[in-house]
């Protein structure tokens, strides 16, 4: 048996990451928090970005774009300022979606949805965690769930595109 890894496999990692984000958002809505799910989603997202950059035939500019997304992800963990962490994390998926949209214009709806929802979620997180507006906790979790859905939609679209091109 031969193990075959392709872009499809790496997009599947993104779908798994989106699933972990969804599960974490559901837990948050229920009043519990599962930091482990966030950590797993973080790792899966990072692996997806690195593996996509390492695919044979990836051009230099494409590698740069994917590494840029990866460095945003890692940079969020390097800084101690919560506001900077939130901003960097809110940029990872829109940047990745923008990169993919530049290669395939059919991904424009996913790109727009990710940009809008990530911006709304960032505003809600800032209000809840830095502004002390506890009443925004449920809307923030709902927006986090919506972000996870559109992340899954993007990676599923990318997975299907790779499947159909073969």
């Amino acid at each position: 048996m031969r193990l075959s890894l392709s872009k499809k496999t790496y997009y599947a990692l993104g779908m798994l990451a989106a699933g972990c984000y969804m599960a974490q958002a559901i837990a948050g809505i229920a009043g519990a928090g599962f930091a482990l799910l966030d950590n797993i989603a973080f790792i899966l997202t990072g692996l997806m970005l690195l593996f996509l950059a390492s695919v044979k035939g990836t051009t230099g500019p494409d590698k740069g774009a994917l590494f840029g997304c990866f460095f945003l992800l890692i940079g969020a963990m390097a800084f101690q300022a919560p506001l900077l962490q939130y901003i960097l994390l809110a940029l990872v998926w829109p940047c990745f979606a923008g990169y993919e949209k530049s290669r395939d214009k059919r991904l424009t709806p996913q790109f727009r949805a990710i940009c809008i929802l990530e911006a709304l979620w960032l505003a809600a997180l800032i209000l809840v965690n830095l502004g002390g507006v506890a009443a925004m906790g449920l809307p923030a979790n709902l927006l986090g769930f919506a972000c996870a859905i559109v992340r899954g939609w993007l990676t599923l679209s990318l997975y299907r595109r790779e499947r159909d091109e073969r």
Side-chain angles (χ1 to χ4, degrees):
M1 182 160 106
R2 186 170 175 257
L3 182 62
S4 174
L5 299 176
S6 67
K7 283 187 172 186
K8 253 183 7 181
T9 307
Y10 307 139
Y11 292 135
L13 290 175
M15 286 187 281
L16 288 172
C20 287
Y21 284 124
M22 281 186 233
Q24 181 191 18
I26 290 170
I29 291 167
F34 291 114
L36 178 62
L37 289 173
D38 189 44
N39 292 336
I40 292 169
F42 178 86
I43 290 168
L44 289 172
T45 302
L47 287 174
M48 175 190 71
L49 295 169
L50 287 177
F51 286 151
L52 285 171
S54 72
V55 170
K56 186 176 181 176
T58 304
T59 65
D62 287 347
K63 285 182 188 223
L66 291 165
F67 276 117
C69 294
F70 177 75
F71 288 131
L72 283 173
L73 185 68
I74 296 302
M77 296 302 120
F79 295 104
Q80 295 300 316
L83 179 60
L84 188 56
Q85 287 178 336
Y86 294 149
I87 292 170
L88 290 176
L89 286 173
L91 290 173
V92 172
W93 281 91
C95 288
F96 176 65
Y99 157 74
E100 290 292 351
K101 182 187 79 84
S102 72
R103 297 176 59 233
D104 185 352
K105 297 298 181 201
R106 296 174 294 177
L107 297 171
T108 300
Q110 291 92 328
F111 171 72
R112 286 182 183 155
I114 284 177
C115 289
I116 291 167
L117 286 170
E118 290 283 349
L120 290 172
W121 190 33
L122 173 63
L125 284 176
I126 290 171
L127 283 173
V128 171
N129 295 326
L130 301 178
V133 183
M136 285 295 294
L138 179 61
N141 283 324
L142 291 172
L143 285 167
F145 185 74
C147 283
I149 289 171
V150 296
R151 292 170 183 175
W153 178 32
L154 172 67
T155 53
L156 179 62
S157 298
L158 293 167
Y159 181 90
R160 286 181 175 163
R161 182 189 70 193
E162 288 299 314
R163 180 196 66 202
D164 295 343
E165 287 179 359
R166 290 198 179 254

